[in-house]
């Protein structure tokens, strides 16, 4: 069975934007799009609406997925769209679906610039457990948001893509993460900005004789290490313009700042098999909650 771009659908605005983003991504990758609505065993719709029985709820779920699929086909001629509405616990079903997908796309609710974004419990559960890439898309995400403005400053989906931004830990670089980010940039014909943060030295460091010179040397060393990590990938993707961004500061804040003009942000999540179980690192957590662009979380060992 060929892989698909799969989107988890519900009746929310962010879910509809996620479906639109997933359709565009499926076209970029030349893959079918699967629109999936998970019918919960004890649906909140049935519980809160006494007049809606389980049969009615099932028909409603089927209608929702079919109407979404038809709308996508109309807006994106030529795309292959399939629908599915399995029954079960949403996080469990979506995690299983992710295993058969090229990537899984979910919606994320906006709360405003100061408070960031709300990642629901289902999305958090899927991101923490899925071993395939999961992309979170914000409410009100539009195709033009991922592109540079036209010469008159008007948003347009016909202009080149904004950069793909990769949050990279050069102490533990992972091929799965790097390959996903470079491939995403290549498909968009967009620059790839690889962002690496290194910690600010303690204040006492600057009181040392030659502290400024030592800081400059540390800065050069960190930039050189980033270049070394990226060297092989530059060769593998020679057409991708690479922007190396080695910054001093808090890793989460550095990434959020560098992602303000991104079309897509790519971050990693380490797969854990020990007693600690599923885990989302603090940088990935910050990206999910505070970056406006779609965020791809790539699981890796």
């Amino acid at each position: 069975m060929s892989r698909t771009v799969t989107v988890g659908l519900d009746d929310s605005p962010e879910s509809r934007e996620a479906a639109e983003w997933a359709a565009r991504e499926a076209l970029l990758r030349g893959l079918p799009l699967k629109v999936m609505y998970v019918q919960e065993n004890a649906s909140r719709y049935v519980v809160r609406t006494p007049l809606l029985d389980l049969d009615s709820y099932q028909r409603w779920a089927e209608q929702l997925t079919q109407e979404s699929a038809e709308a996508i086909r109309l807006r994106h001629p030529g795309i292959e769209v399939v629908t599915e509405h399995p029954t079960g616990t949403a996080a469990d079903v979506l995690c299983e679906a992710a295993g058969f997908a090229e990537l899984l796309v979910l919606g994320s609710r906006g709360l405003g610039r100061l408070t960031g974004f709300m990642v629901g419990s289902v999305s958090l559960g899927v991101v923490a457990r899925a071993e395939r890439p999961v992309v979170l898309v914000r409410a009100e995400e539009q195709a033009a948001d991922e592109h540079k403005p036209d010469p008159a400053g008007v948003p347009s989906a016909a202009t080149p893509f904004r950069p793909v931004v990769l949050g990279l830990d050069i102490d533990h670089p992972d091929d799965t993460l790097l390959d996903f980010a470079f491939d995403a940039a290549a498909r968009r014909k967009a620059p790839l900005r690889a962002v690496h943060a290194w910690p600010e030295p303690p204040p006492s460091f600057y009181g040392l004789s030659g502290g400024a010179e030592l800081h400059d040397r540390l800065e050069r060393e960190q930039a050189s290490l980033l270049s070394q990590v990226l060297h092989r990938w530059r060769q593998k993707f020679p057409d991708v313009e690479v922007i190396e961004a080695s910054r001093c500061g808090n890793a989460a804040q550095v990434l959020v700042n560098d992602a303000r003009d991104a079309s897509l942000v790519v971050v990693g999540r380490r797969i854990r098999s020990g007693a600690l179980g599923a885990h989302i690192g603090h940088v990935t957590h910050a990206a999910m909650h505070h970056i406006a662009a779609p965020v791809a979380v790539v699981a890796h060992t």
Side-chain angles (χ1 to χ4, degrees):
M1 182 186 298
S2 64
R3 288 192 179 274
T4 62
V5 173
T6 298
V7 59
L9 187 70
D10 56 32
D11 62 343
S12 66
E14 57 270 21
S15 170
R16 290 190 286 273
E17 299 304 342
E20 277 296 305
W21 188 94
R24 298 194 297 271
E25 187 68 15
L27 288 170
L28 275 177
R29 293 173 177 267
L31 292 174
L33 173 68
K34 179 183 287 186
V35 179
M36 175 180 287
Y37 182 94
V38 181
Q39 298 173 214
E40 294 277 359
N41 289 319
S43 169
R44 62 188 175 92
Y45 296 100
V46 175
V47 170
R48 77 185 185 190
T49 310
L51 297 179
L52 184 62
D53 59 28
L54 286 174
D55 289 338
S56 299
Y57 169 61
Q58 184 173 3
R59 289 194 297 272
W60 174 85
E62 292 173 357
Q63 182 179 357
L64 178 68
T65 53
Q66 290 297 336
E67 289 179 350
S68 176
E70 287 302 320
I72 288 170
R73 292 187 187 104
L74 286 173
R75 287 190 290 269
H76 305 279
I79 189 172
E80 179 184 352
V81 185
V82 296
T83 62
E84 189 173 316
H85 31 81
T87 300
T89 303
D92 293 340
V93 173
L94 290 169
C95 278
E96 183 179 357
F100 297 98
E102 191 73 11
L103 54 88
L104 175 69
V105 185
L106 302 172
S108 179
R109 187 174 303 124
L111 293 176
R113 293 184 179 180
L114 294 179
T115 51
F117 301 92
M118 178 183 294
V119 180
S121 59
V122 171
S123 296
L124 279 174
V126 174
V127 167
R129 293 162 50 198
E131 297 191 2
R132 296 290 302 170
V134 179
V135 180
L136 298 178
V137 178
R138 314 306 181 193
E140 302 180 2
E141 174 72 17
Q142 301 293 320
D145 297 335
E146 298 160 29
H147 294 257
K148 298 178 180 178
D150 69 12
V154 178
S156 171
T159 58
F161 276 93
R162 296 176 183 270
V164 172
V165 173
L166 166 64
L168 187 59
D169 177 0
I170 63 172
D171 292 329
H172 304 95
D174 181 83
D175 286 357
T176 303
L177 178 66
L178 283 155
D179 187 70
F180 184 97
F182 271 85
D183 180 71
R187 292 180 187 278
R188 289 163 172 74
K189 297 181 173 61
L192 175 69
R193 182 183 302 141
V195 181
H196 155 61
W198 47 281
E200 181 77 37
S204 58
F205 177 88
Y206 297 100
L208 299 174
S209 175
E213 290 78 7
L214 289 172
H215 186 279
D216 290 344
R217 186 175 71 182
L218 180 59
E219 189 173 47
R220 290 192 298 271
E221 288 174 351
Q222 292 292 318
S224 176
L225 290 171
L226 176 60
S227 294
Q228 292 173 35
V229 169
L230 296 172
H231 177 71
R232 176 164 62 94
W233 296 93
R234 285 179 178 270
Q235 293 180 317
K236 184 176 180 180
F237 293 88
D239 295 332
V240 173
E241 176 191 353
V242 180
I243 303 167
E244 298 181 11
S246 179
R247 319 278 195 210
C248 177
N250 175 273
Q253 189 60 57
V254 165
L255 179 61
V256 169
N257 289 340
D258 261 278
R260 295 186 189 282
D261 64 340
S263 63
L264 175 69
V265 177
V266 182
V267 292
R269 180 189 70 80
R270 190 173 300 279
I271 298 171
R272 295 189 176 186
S273 57
L276 292 177
H279 176 71
I280 301 173
H282 76 283
V283 175
T284 296
H285 194 275
M288 291 165 54
H289 286 85
H290 297 289
I291 289 176
V295 175
V297 182
V298 180
H300 59 84
T301 55

